[in-house]
Amino acid sequence: MPTPRCWASAPPELCTQTQDGFAAVWVLLSIEVNVFPNWFGSHRSLKMNRLRWVALAIVLLGAASKSGLAFASEEIHWVDVRIPPYHHIETGDQNASAEALEAQKGITDRLLELLAEALPDYTHKRTIVPTPRLLRSLEEGQNVCNPAMKITPERQEYIVFSRRPSIIAPSNGITIRAEDQNRFGEPPVALERLMNDPDLVLGIEFGRAYGPKIDKLLARYKTSGSVYEWFSSPAYSGLVQMLTRERVDYVLGFPMEFSYVKETRKLQREIAFLPIRESREFSYSYIGCSKTATGRQLIAEIDEALARIRKTEAYREAIERWLPTVVHESFREHYTEDFLTHQRSIE
């Protein structure tokens, strides 16, 4: 019996299922005429009936492939959320030039194009949903992936993450009304001190992970009345609108989100960005897929693709083009010395 191809990086259970599927079909094809004489009839019709068995085998293999048991999926379904300039930036001008449309692409918009080029054997499908729906799809075991996620212990229960980070970016800080600078003090400011102030309300996105230290603080204060959670997407721009209307006093987010909103939105008041003590200078995001046999197979191949494409100038520029100019030098240093060599241990 011929041995079916199985990726070296594939999980053992997937390879076993693939080989079992081929074995079953091979048995069907090896059945002799005298086992089912009524099916095969005369010796002259033997050739025709063998063709029928081949057709049946193809149908069975197709069904097994669709069930996800015998073969890795031929499609990668990317489920993303709107967090400009990271994901899915939309231009309002449908007649814009190709250059203008290219300039509007967010970070993961471009990264997914590069991954599609690196993984041409797959069809790449993309869906944009709110964060809660993304997490629900992953938790339910649907075969979907996301290009940039923070790792948390809770998410590791139902998501398998890439070993290599997909994105390096300046860490979270707070956005405030510019006239309130003296109220918050000199940066970096202590987020915990601010959350202890009963006169200040923080705006955050529901379901979003901001990093281990910040997430622990949020879990402690969420029920105190000092935290407002925004449920729809894009959350950051909506929260900034609330900030300018004095519905909240400060908003958690990335400096790239701040720069994008400041440049593209007509705001009622000036805003400012402050680093916080609880964040590192740069943070990493990872690709995450459902913790299924198919998800593990996809992550194994995606990891291999990341090892190749992250070294390219196109990959670095996809992230760098949305960074504030002031951090370009430190970004390139971290990108070369840590990001390209960083690998998590196998889960």
Side-chain angles (χ1 to χ4, degrees), residues 14-87:
L14 187 63
C15 293
T16 301
Q17 291 162 352
T18 303
Q19 291 160 359
D20 289 347
F22 269 92
V25 173
W26 190 257
V27 168
L28 289 174
L29 292 175
S30 300
I31 293 176
E32 296 296 333
V33 177
N34 60 356
V35 176
F36 296 111
N38 292 333
W39 283 31
F40 283 92
S42 66
H43 179 74
R44 287 185 300 177
S45 63
L46 175 60
K47 184 175 180 180
M48 180 61 68
N49 283 287
R50 283 189 182 274
L51 290 176
R52 290 173 185 167
W53 277 111
V54 171
L56 175 61
I58 292 171
V59 172
L60 291 173
L61 282 172
S65 176
K66 289 182 179 179
S67 70
L69 293 178
F71 297 101
S73 172
E74 294 181 356
E75 176 184 82
I76 303 179
H77 185 183
W78 297 102
V79 178
D80 213 345
V81 295
R82 286 189 179 91
I83 308 180
Y86 288 84
H87 317 305

Side-chain angles (χ1 to χ4, degrees), residues 186-217:
E186 290 298 317
V189 297
L191 181 62
E192 186 169 14
R193 175 181 65 81
L194 300 178
M195 298 188 76
N196 270 315
D197 188 334
D199 295 326
L200 295 175
V201 177
L202 168 65
I204 64 171
E205 179 181 359
F206 176 81
R208 181 168 168 179
Y210 290 91
K213 289 184 178 180
I214 297 175
D215 289 343
K216 286 180 181 178
L217 281 176

Side-chain angles (χ1 to χ4, degrees), residues 147-190:
M149 302 190 77
K150 297 295 182 188
I151 298 175
T152 69
E154 294 78 16
R155 290 178 178 182
Q156 286 181 300
E157 294 294 320
Y158 55 90
I159 300 173
V160 57
F161 290 95
S162 58
R163 295 180 62 191
R164 297 171 175 86
S166 57
I167 290 180
I168 173 177
S171 294
N172 286 291
I174 59 170
T175 301
I176 64 171
R177 294 180 288 270
E179 69 263 26
D180 288 345
Q181 177 77 58
N182 292 336
R183 186 180 184 185
F184 288 86
E186 290 298 317
V189 297

